Amino acid sequence: MTTKANFPVTAGSIVVPYGHVIGNEKWRGSELAQRLQGKVRLIFEDALGLVDFHLSNRTCILLISEADLVAGDEFKRRLVRFRNASSLRGIVIVEKTQISDQYYLGVQKLVVLELGMVLLPMANQGEASQLIIQLVREQSRDRGAGPFLGKRRAQPAEAAVLQAVQRIPGVGKTKALLLLQRFGSIHRLCNAAIHELEQAVGQTVAQQIYTFLHS
Amino acid sequence: SAWNSRVPGEHGPSPWLCILADSREMCSGPEVLSCLRAVHGLRVQVCSLGTSDYIVSNRLAVDRMLQSELQSPGNRNRVSQRLQRLQGIFERICRTQYYDGVLSALVQAGVRILFSSCQEETAALLKDLALLEHRKDAAIQVPTEPEGHQRDVLNFYLSIPNLSYGAALNLCHSFGSITAVANSSVPALAAGARLSPPQAEELHRFLRHDFDLELLPQPLPAKRKS
């Protein structure tokens, strides 16, 4: 591959063609790679450094195997180096097995709470491959089109304003509507003089409203 | 584990830390609440949060979800609604393609996901989150149990769209009256309620919104029962 020399050696951003995954050479021939083949277009590179897979120009995967967890702290140094060196969004996939389970809470604390990265536990390379395939599909959606993104529509504030005014003790829906039609906004209702309130809702309730809004 | 010892106040009570818990959690997560109090020594205020299961700081809400809630595609809309503004904690994990889809969608949406295998672990995670937020100066530091008139004022603030329970408490505490809030500038609202500038802007706009009866959604006529 002729463009290889242009790729940064560690943790940097690289160009990932649409629908492709760029994998670290060390995964060539692995079970994980075999399961990805055919589902995504997988290209291997040998200069990815800390990163295992690039899913897009912004997102990459770092895998921590059961063996890494058992071996000691080296994987922590790797994650911290990545976090310090890279502006990419790193998704950490950790192999959570019966053996490595005891380390999970500690890893979660480091990765999610201390480093602010995403951590997803997977039982084996097969599960990891399924997740990577889904992540690639999710990546290729338009930004903002995910099922959990941007569904809130702006609604007219009228109903909410009416609700708020009805939270004033002594004010039901009828009086709330009277007040809003007369004063227009909560801000102007707050700044109304007591005699103006009296003209709208009578002396007793006016006093109640005035006290509520001013103390 | 090796990291625990690096966090100050990790062991023993942390009475300055406060977590708000939704009243539903008294039934669905009693172990979480009792662990937070008894094991971690946190102040847990149970209140009607409605929008989330926990609030651990001025800016961080937590939803606790069971694997069963994520297993069925039929739940997707409910999950989607619950998670639109929230961070998530899942207890236990299962494996389906649907589940992979939910996970990747949550990751894409920027929702932080924490996994735990029991309510005790969930409590420990909530404590860690509260501690972290405390270190970042975002902890809830106002009284969480207003009484009398202050309770009514809190209810008024809670009716404001997109204003969190924590922000409503901060408004109660930082401003002398609703009128003082209504007359405040955007920066003053941001500082007093611990809101981001866009959130403060939205609150400011709401308080000055000019009510138009024509825009009020009309209830459907002729459907009276009772």
Side-chain angles (χ1 to χ4, degrees), chain B:
Chain B
S1 82
W3 298 305
N4 282 356
S5 55
R6 290 188 205 157
V7 182
E10 180 74 21
H11 301 289
S14 324
W16 73 90
L17 279 181
C18 174
I19 286 182
L20 307 180
D22 188 77
S23 41
R24 288 168 307 186
E25 284 293 281
M26 286 201 290
C27 294
S28 58
E31 287 297 310
V32 180
L33 300 187
S34 63
C35 269
L36 283 171
R37 290 185 175 121
V39 180
H40 303 295
L42 264 65
R43 194 157 60 83
V44 181
Q45 177 71 49
V46 176
C47 38
S48 184
L49 297 178
T51 52
S52 67
D53 295 330
Y54 296 92
I55 291 179
V56 299
S57 78
N58 284 313
R59 57 185 190 178
L60 185 57
V62 175
D63 239 17
R64 188 174 67 87
M65 306 198 74
L66 293 169
Q67 72 171 83
S68 55
E69 294 180 81
L70 292 173
Q71 268 174 326
S72 150
N75 264 339
R76 185 147 185 158
N77 265 342
R78 251 193 78 231
V79 174
S80 163
Q81 281 164 9
R82 281 186 69 180
L83 292 178
Q84 265 183 11
R85 284 175 300 163
L86 298 181
Q87 316 291 332
I89 282 188
F90 303 150
E91 287 188 357
R92 299 196 294 277
I93 313 152
C94 65
R95 304 295 322 165
T96 62
Q97 194 185 346
Y98 165 73
Y99 180 71
D100 285 325
V102 171
L103 280 190
S104 46
L106 291 174
V107 167
Q108 183 75 355
V111 174
R112 195 156 26 149
I113 310 162
L114 294 163
F115 294 87
S116 72
S117 55
C118 60
Q119 295 196 8
E120 286 82 357
E121 281 184 20
T122 301
L125 287 172
L126 285 167
K127 187 241 7 204
D128 287 340
L129 285 170
L131 208 55
L132 192 68
E133 290 291 284
H134 183 264
R135 289 212 305 261
K136 292 179 177 175
D137 197 28
I140 299 162
Q141 282 171 325
V142 298
T144 51
E145 271 182 298
E147 286 168 0
H149 171 68
Q150 282 298 309
R151 160 70 37 195
D152 293 336
V153 170
L154 176 65
N155 280 330
F156 177 88
Y157 293 140
L158 287 174
S159 73
I160 297 174
N162 301 326
L163 195 73
S164 75
Y165 202 98
L169 284 172
N170 288 332
L171 284 175
C172 279
H173 185 73
S174 306
F175 295 88
S177 67
I178 293 171
T179 302
V181 171
N183 288 333
S184 290
S185 65
V186 172
L189 290 174
R194 307 290 305 263
L195 294 170
S196 69
Q199 288 172 318
E201 176 81 50
E202 188 179 349
L203 172 60
H204 189 261
R205 203 178 318 123
F206 178 80
L207 293 168
R208 284 155 203 261
H209 178 80
D210 231 328
F211 184 82
D212 182 349
L213 189 60
E214 297 290 310
L215 293 179
L216 191 65
Q218 294 301 313
L220 292 173
K223 269 210 168 179
R224 282 189 193 170
K225 294 176 183 172
S226 88

Side-chain angles (χ1 to χ4, degrees), chain A residues 103-153:
Chain A
Y103 305 106
Y104 186 77
L105 284 181
V107 174
Q108 179 165 264
K109 197 161 173 170
L110 174 76
V111 174
V112 183
L113 299 186
E114 310 276 326
L115 301 178
M117 294 164 72
V118 174
L119 179 70
L120 300 171
M122 297 294 133
N124 50 49
Q125 292 193 17
E127 286 193 2
S129 69
Q130 286 177 35
L131 182 74
I132 289 173
I133 292 162
Q134 281 296 330
L135 285 167
V136 170
R137 290 188 183 151
E138 198 69 39
Q139 293 284 334
S140 55
R141 289 173 192 259
D142 283 342
R143 209 176 143 64
F148 301 136
L149 283 171
K151 269 191 186 164
R152 272 199 289 158
R153 278 176 298 130

